[in-house]
Amino acid sequence: MSEIELKSEYYKTLEENLEKYCIPIEAIAKAKESIQGPEEALFELLVFLIT
Amino acid sequence: MDHANKVMIEQSQQRNQNFIDIYEGRMPKKIPIAINIDGAAALEYAGKNLILDQYSADEMIEAMDYTNGLFDTDLVVGFSSRLPSYYKILGARNYVMGGDGFMQHPNINGIEPEDYDELINDPVKVCWEKVIPKFYSELAKPAPYNMIALLKMYVSMKNVMAKIGPAAAHIAAKYGKVTQKFYSKRTRAPFDLLADTFRSFTGISIDIRKYPQKVLEACEALLPLVLKMGIPAEKPSKTIRVGIALHMPTFMREKDFAKFWWPTYKRMVEYITEAGFGVYMFCEDDWMRYLDYLKELPAGCEMQFEYGEPKIIKQKLGDKHIIEGLFPISLLRTGSIQEVERKTKELIDILAPGGNYIFNLDKGILRASDAKVENLQTLLKCIREYGVY
């Protein structure tokens, strides 16, 4: 199902965000809410704004 | 716990169960009712001022409480997420308040034909860089003005929802309504998103003639986006429905529908159902010429129809999918109580046998003028009494 994965300069996965913010990969479970939560919330906000 | 509370809890549980039974392929005790009433209508039923009171969460909650007490719907009704405060803060062009306070949605295009390649390459990037500044004048301004506007809007939304969420739960408990969350995220068909957000109704109608290959590629590029929009974060269950309002098909020739609209939509629905979720789709307008296509979709899709022939819809789709809608809202506006009762029983007689049926109107109630109070109350009472298995 990789064909349907969303890829964008403006949407990052948790792994990509850890790399972007220089956070150790070992923090992946702990950073899910604090780092990926805002990414997902921003995506939801974008959807609200464009529909 | 007092007796009244216990009765309401049992009523909520039974109403939850009727929906669960339908979604899990069983016969419910009673026909579930999915009638919805918009926030604007709730404010009007409650005698509020639409121009002023949409700015206050407290006024909206009062109107929700009043409307849910007035009408014995299964679902908590009476809230609209499209509030003017958000759009005023952003300087919106895509949602504007009409002279009577009702939020209007003008048909504007987010991109031009020359932007297709960028859209195909990265749709989310095009949304942030081109669509958002076009839709919202405050977000077209340079930093920090755009950052300030977006943050203000976001805080406004959070503040409202921090009050609405608990209020809705309180109202559900107070009136014995559905307490389980069945309707989750909303998304769009790829072609509809292309039309509604990016190219507009008129733009896409030209594009399928002038740039057919770009339109096809854009629908493919939008598929991951609409799936990301729609897939819920919850644990997969057929009782969790992803909502999709279907806009463009009835304005298209069938051969254009088959070529441009249908393929990516079908894959989208297949993916959502393979992921373990259910789909609720609102087939806007008259879908009679597309019933054979709908039959191809995975079993158990919930399909609300606006217009069409109930007997044929039941005959063609009733064994495979959940049928909903078709009750003419116009009858609630202009009909007599007797006419409402007669039509309700007529539709139940056609659509309810064998299950796979949720009662709904042909469209949501947007304004109080759409439905006389006594007619809607009669309708709900009639479904409760007559819609028993």
Side-chain angles (χ1 to χ4, degrees):
Chain A
M1 289 295 182
S2 60
E3 60 163 335
I4 56 85
E5 274 176 31
L6 183 66
K7 305 262 186 213
S8 174
E9 188 180 328
Y10 291 87
Y11 174 79
K12 304 290 181 198
T13 63
L14 178 54
E15 290 82 355
E16 289 168 337
N17 274 324
L18 292 180
E19 189 180 344
K20 178 179 177 182
Y21 300 123
C22 300
I23 298 168
I25 190 73
E26 291 77 14
I28 192 161
K30 295 178 181 180
K32 199 172 175 185
E33 189 176 347
S34 60
I35 296 295
Q36 198 58 21
E39 187 79 50
E40 300 302 328
L42 195 63
F43 178 79
E44 303 244 328
L45 180 61
L46 175 68
V47 170
F48 184 84
L49 293 174
I50 64 164
T51 54
Chain B
M1 184 189 302
D2 63 28
H3 178 69
N5 277 345
K6 196 175 170 209
V7 168
M8 285 300 125
I9 288 170
E10 284 174 2
Q11 183 173 296
S12 285
Q13 287 171 341
Q14 186 53 58
R15 291 181 180 186
N16 289 341
Q17 193 60 48
N18 290 332
F19 277 93
I20 293 166
D21 286 342
I22 286 284
Y23 291 145
E24 293 184 345
R26 293 185 297 271
M27 189 76 84
K29 283 188 178 169
K30 291 188 172 186
I31 296 170
I33 305 168
I35 289 172
N36 190 31
I37 300 172
D38 189 80
L43 285 165
E44 291 175 328
Y45 281 125
K48 305 274 184 190
N49 184 322
L50 197 53
I51 293 173
L52 305 178
D53 292 333
Q54 289 180 89
Y55 293 105
S56 162
D58 295 332
E59 297 285 354
M60 289 186 285
I61 288 166
E62 272 186 35
M64 283 172 70
D65 192 319
Y66 178 84
T67 305
N68 281 281
L70 189 62
F71 300 117
D72 187 22
T73 52
D74 273 1
L75 306 177
V76 172
V77 298
F79 178 68
S80 169
S81 60
R82 303 289 177 183
L83 296 178
S85 50
Y86 312 155
Y87 295 105
K88 293 277 184 184
I89 288 169
L90 297 176
R93 301 185 181 100
N94 60 334
Y95 281 94
V96 293
M97 187 185 271
D100 61 355
F102 192 72
M103 295 302 288
Q104 309 283 348
H105 187 33
N107 176 34
I108 59 172
N109 60 305
I111 63 167
E112 303 302 323
E114 55 268 29
D115 299 321
Y116 260 111
D117 286 338
E118 284 179 66
L119 178 71
I120 291 161
N121 186 49
D122 187 342
V124 175
K125 185 176 181 182
V126 167
C127 287
W128 280 118
E129 293 185 355
K130 292 188 186 288
V131 178
I132 294 286
K134 189 156 186 188
F135 283 4
Y136 303 101
S137 63
E138 290 297 316
L139 301 184
K141 291 178 179 174
Y145 300 104
N146 55 0
M147 294 191 288
I148 292 167
L150 189 64
L151 191 57
K152 279 183 178 176
M153 177 269 177
Y154 193 65
V155 172
S156 177
M157 183 185 262
K158 289 286 168 194
N159 288 349
V160 169
M161 292 315 296
K163 288 188 171 184
I164 296 291
H170 173 75
I171 288 167
K174 182 177 176 183
Y175 297 110
K177 306 215 173 197
V178 160
T179 51
Q180 188 164 328
K181 186 182 175 188
F182 295 115
Y183 297 100
S184 184
K185 287 186 168 181
R186 291 182 191 177
T187 184
R188 299 278 171 89
F191 186 95
D192 284 347
L193 187 67
L194 180 61
D196 296 344
T197 293
F198 297 100
R199 293 294 298 127
S200 82
F201 182 91
T202 42
I204 197 71
S205 304
I206 295 165
D207 293 353
I208 60 174
R209 307 274 169 266
K210 285 184 79 174
Y211 320 104
Q213 191 55 34
K214 296 294 181 196
V215 172
L216 287 171
E217 289 175 31
C219 287
E220 289 290 333
L222 290 170
L223 184 57
L225 175 58
V226 295
L227 283 168
K228 174 75 182 160
M229 286 164 64
I231 296 288
E234 293 95 331
K235 186 180 163 197
S237 166
K238 292 295 175 200
T239 64
I240 297 175
R241 297 274 144 176
V242 177
I244 317 168
L246 310 180
H247 295 153
M248 291 296 294
T250 60
F251 299 101
M252 301 172 78
R253 295 184 301 180
E254 185 175 344
K255 70 173 191 175
D256 291 333
F257 167 84
K259 179 179 177 181
F260 295 103
W261 196 94
W262 179 250
T264 45
Y265 181 68
K266 187 181 177 202
R267 280 164 54 206
M268 172 188 176
V269 172
E270 287 170 346
Y271 183 85
I272 294 169
T273 52
E274 278 170 25
F277 297 99
V279 170
Y280 155 79
M281 59 188 81
F282 177 33
C283 302
E284 289 185 9
D285 200 12
D286 185 341
W287 275 65
M288 292 306 287
R289 64 190 164 116
Y290 296 133
L291 296 185
D292 289 333
Y293 290 90
L294 295 177
K295 196 167 185 180
E296 293 176 21
L297 294 174
C301 289
E302 178 183 355
M303 299 175 175
Q304 181 182 3
F305 291 91
E306 187 171 8
Y307 308 120
E309 175 48 56
K311 282 182 185 165
I312 296 172
I313 291 171
K314 179 71 174 176
Q315 185 189 354
K316 285 204 166 190
L317 301 174
D319 288 342
K320 188 171 185 183
H321 297 301
I322 300 161
I323 309 300
E324 184 174 327
L326 294 163
F327 186 98
I329 197 172
S330 56
L331 202 56
L332 298 180
R333 184 169 55 239
T334 60
S336 66
I337 283 174
Q338 292 75 21
E339 287 170 323
V340 169
E341 281 180 337
R342 199 178 312 129
K343 188 69 182 176
T344 306
K345 290 178 180 176
E346 178 193 315
L347 269 181
I348 288 175
D349 285 343
I350 296 168
L351 295 171
N356 264 351
Y357 176 51
I358 294 174
F359 195 99
N360 207 344
L361 309 174
D362 57 4
K363 56 181 79 65
I365 296 168
L366 297 180
R367 308 295 297 269
S369 57
D370 287 342
K372 288 184 205 164
V373 171
E374 62 271 26
N375 279 355
L376 184 51
Q377 287 174 332
T378 298
L379 171 76
L380 291 161
K381 185 168 179 282
C382 186
I383 304 164
R384 301 239 175 265
E385 292 172 357
Y386 196 70
V388 180
Y389 284 105

